[in-house]
Amino acid sequence: MDPSRLNACQAQRDQMIRTQLVARGVGAPGVLEAMRRVPREWFVAGGSVERAYEDAALPVDCGQTISQPYIVARMTEALEPGPQDRVLEIGTGTGYQTAVLALLAGQVYTIEWYAKLLVPAAERLAALGIRNVTFRCGDGSEGWPEHAPYDGILVTAGAPRPPLPLLEQLAVGGRMVLPVGPPEEESLLVIRRTAAGYEQRELLRCRFVPLRGREGWPDASMTDP
Ligand code: SAH
């Protein structure tokens, strides 16, 4: 990343980390450092610095959202990405969460439904010098079997239930973090695959845009990728 362009909003980023993340119990040093480095204003419409560091999800193109920083941090922390790990992300959106993952994992594979979001996301990451991300446009609800198994799978849109193909593509010892349930009462789940099966816990209650596609919500599949 080019340091001169990144330092511009360092004070806002440091404040976001203190007040929105550390104060609410996010403690993983790697996650905090990654979020200290990714310039969120690059991912927000119009590059608005004030909006970029708000404690909120924000609207982006195609009726989608960029997730709230706190949710990005909690999801990343629960995923526990390590430097050798292969991570699959469903729902690239702006690429903000993708960039955070790419600083922590070995290789990131990311799938986005809308080309109109995917292309600028890929351009942003290239401009930041991030090279360990492979992009694909299409239905991510069925995963990406060619590169499986994954040490981590992160889904940034709410699913009716944990998609079977994603469970199958998780390595033993791997973690999947995803929002599940009807839009008004979603749970952010952490599912760990063990030699014996799958263990599941609820991280928090949340609200995401709906997952489309074969394993997503039927009425959310209205527009083609
Ligand atoms: N992590 C993103 C948040 C994106 S919102 C960010 O920080 O910007 C969720 C994204 O999931 C949307 O861009 C939406 O288009 C995408 N999505 C929904 N269903 C999908 C599917 N089946 N396959 C791939 N992407 C999907």
Side-chain angles (χ1 to χ4, degrees):
M1 294 188 202
D2 173 358
S4 62
R5 296 180 71 187
L6 291 179
N7 286 340
C9 296
Q10 196 60 62
Q12 283 92 332
R13 268 200 295 288
D14 286 345
Q15 190 186 7
M16 169 187 91
I17 282 154
R18 264 196 324 275
T19 60
Q20 299 177 31
L21 309 186
V22 176
R24 291 188 189 133
V26 178
V31 174
L32 296 174
E33 179 56 23
M35 291 186 64
R36 227 178 73 81
R37 287 176 60 196
V38 178
R40 190 168 159 88
E41 67 279 10
W42 282 29
F43 297 82
V44 167
S48 162
V49 174
E50 297 87 77
R51 301 219 67 192
Y53 294 97
E54 271 176 23
D55 186 14
L58 300 171
V60 300
D61 267 354
C62 304
Q64 306 302 311
T65 53
I66 174 172
S67 305
Q68 180 189 14
Y70 174 66
I71 295 294
V72 172
R74 289 296 302 272
M75 290 180 82
T76 311
E77 194 172 50
L79 196 75
E80 299 173 36
Q84 308 297 328
D85 283 357
R86 297 146 64 80
V87 169
L88 174 67
E89 181 193 39
I90 313 303
T92 319
T94 64
Y96 177 72
Q97 169 80 74
T98 322
V100 172
L101 290 173
L103 295 185
L104 294 164
Q107 183 67 37
V108 178
Y109 300 89
T110 186
I111 308 177
E112 169 56 48
W113 184 273
Y114 290 110
K116 198 177 166 203
L117 293 175
L118 187 70
V119 171
E123 285 170 359
R124 286 183 194 106
L125 268 58
L128 289 170
I130 292 174
R131 300 194 210 295
N132 56 337
V133 179
T134 311
F135 299 88
R136 173 171 165 181
C137 189
D139 179 11
S141 74
E142 296 184 274
W144 196 341
E146 289 84 347
H147 302 290
Y150 300 98
D151 306 293
I153 300 180
L154 190 147
V155 184
T156 71
R161 70 199 83 78
L164 214 57
L166 299 184
L167 290 169
E168 284 167 1
Q169 290 169 35
L170 199 57
V172 172
R175 291 80 52 200
M176 171 149 75
V177 181
L178 82 167
V180 166
E184 320 75 51
E185 40 183 304
E186 274 170 2
S187 287
L188 193 56
L189 300 183
V190 184
I191 298 174
R192 185 179 291 268
R193 185 168 192 178
T194 67
Y198 297 88
E199 290 167 359
Q200 176 178 312
R201 70 185 167 97
E202 186 188 87
L203 196 62
L204 45 84
R205 309 294 278 182
C206 55
R207 188 156 196 172
F208 281 79
V209 297
L211 184 73
R212 289 147 208 271
R214 273 210 30 199
E215 302 288 330
W217 294 97
D219 56 353
S221 310
M222 292 166 302
T223 35
D224 288 335

